[in-house]
Amino acid sequence: MTSHLLSPVERAQLAMMLEVCAFPKPGNVDRCHDYPDTRLEHFLASVILARPALEEAASGKGRIGEIIGHAVRQTNQHSGGNTHFGAFILLVPLLYGGSLEGAATAVTKTDVSDAVAFYKAFALTRVRMNDTDDLDVNDPRALDELRERDMTLLDVMQHSAPNDMVAREWINGFMLTRRGADILRQIGPGRGAIVEMFLTLLATEPDTFIIKKHGRAVAEQTMENARLVLDGKKVLETFDAECIGAGINPGSIADITIAAIFVALGEGWEWDS
């Protein structure tokens, strides 16, 4: 498939599909692993259901926070829970801005209405938060605080960035997204590049979703195991089985992987060669 013939929305959907189907992708749902309550089909359904919101983002009209909310509501039509919330945080500004540079500019134009819409969408998900977060989406007073402090959605991401690597992408110019896309292009064509890119990011960045769920020590050990796999000192399938058994899922790296695939596809990387 020649990626330059695809529309940006088709590239976004393809990126979501390719990420979840990549195997073995340690700890995450893929074409050989389901979770008890969330299956591969739920992720694939979300790829389809999200299209109206993705098209809205690609139009460059509307508010980024509201579009993220639309994507969450559209993909809440199945019983599999949150599948792509983190990915939407990245894909919506990338589509809206038309490029990495455009996305970095677009997020600076968010306002408090975007922040409020985002928090309302966040409340519909089951995304894990830090126990010490003073802007808890489950606390009705959080919306009042956002308004009182006149916090933009970029401010919210700045607030979350120390503990959330997806939010950090908004602050650092989508740095890991850029790096992931570069890795894909360096590895070359073929779906196997996705797993290698995923492992490379996992080996060098502590996944913040793992930290929230299991603590930093587990995230750092996961990084070390990924390095061992890349160095040929650990079998990938063994690492995958260990993560699945322990409930360790690098969900934030998965979200960034989707954004990186989206960018790489737009730069000519081919997945089916």
Side-chain angles (χ1 to χ4, degrees):
M1 179 179 292
T2 305
S3 57
H4 72 270
L5 297 177
L6 300 173
S7 72
V9 170
E10 288 168 337
R11 284 192 281 112
Q13 290 183 290
L14 184 59
M16 293 164 69
M17 181 276 287
L18 288 172
E19 184 280 326
V20 75
C21 290
F23 170 83
K25 200 169 67 273
N28 289 337
V29 171
D30 55 37
R31 57 192 167 92
C32 294
H33 292 136
D34 290 328
Y35 294 154
D37 298 323
T38 309
R39 305 187 303 274
L40 174 66
E41 293 90 342
H42 291 126
F43 280 84
L44 296 179
S46 292
V47 172
I48 297 168
L49 295 170
R51 187 174 182 105
L54 299 177
E55 289 177 335
E56 185 180 5
S59 75
K61 300 174 182 178
R63 306 298 310 177
I64 286 178
E66 290 180 356
I67 297 170
I68 293 173
H70 296 163
V72 170
R73 289 176 177 85
Q74 287 160 13
T75 54
N76 268 2
Q77 298 180 53
H78 56 66
S79 61
N82 166 60
T83 53
H84 288 106
F85 184 62
F88 294 143
I89 293 172
L90 301 176
L91 287 175
V92 167
L94 286 169
L95 285 163
Y96 196 97
S99 65
L100 282 164
E101 296 75 16
T105 299
V107 299
T108 66
K109 298 178 180 179
T110 60
D111 61 19
V112 68
S113 71
D114 292 290
V116 169
F118 175 82
Y119 258 64
K120 289 180 178 178
F122 202 163
L124 298 175
T125 73
R126 291 181 289 182
V127 176
R128 185 176 292 269
M129 296 185 66
N130 287 322
D131 293 337
T132 57
D133 201 316
D134 62 341
L135 285 171
D136 187 346
V137 297
N138 298 307
D139 184 350
R141 293 172 297 180
L143 293 180
D144 292 333
E145 186 170 355
L146 288 175
R147 296 185 181 101
E148 289 169 4
R149 292 162 63 175
D150 197 30
M151 291 182 71
T152 70
L153 186 46
L154 183 60
D155 291 332
V156 171
M157 296 302 173
Q158 180 77 60
H159 173 85
S160 303
N163 300 310
D164 190 308
M165 65 199 307
V166 173
R168 203 175 300 150
E169 290 292 279
W170 276 45
I171 308 305
N172 62 25
F174 296 81
M175 183 177 68
L176 284 181
T177 298
R178 174 71 271 167
R179 183 174 168 224
D182 289 342
I183 291 169
L184 281 177
R185 295 174 65 198
Q186 289 163 9
I187 295 169
R191 66 183 185 183
I194 296 171
V195 172
E196 187 174 344
M197 181 263 281
F198 178 89
L199 285 169
T200 301
L201 293 182
L202 186 59
T204 54
E205 301 290 336
D207 186 283
T208 50
F209 186 78
I210 296 177
I211 293 174
K212 292 171 187 176
K213 188 175 180 182
H214 297 281
R216 178 166 287 275
V218 172
E220 291 177 350
Q221 183 59 56
T222 304
M223 291 172 60
E224 175 61 23
N225 285 332
R227 282 193 290 267
L228 292 173
V229 171
L230 290 171
D231 292 341
K233 297 177 180 178
K234 190 179 184 72
V235 176
L236 176 55
E237 288 76 10
T238 300
F239 179 34
D240 186 25
E242 290 172 353
C243 288
I244 293 291
I248 297 169
N249 57 314
S252 295
I253 296 289
D255 293 328
I256 293 170
T257 293
I258 291 173
I261 295 170
F262 169 76
V263 171
L265 287 169
E267 296 173 343
W269 178 76
E270 300 287 348
W271 65 274
D272 62 345
S273 299

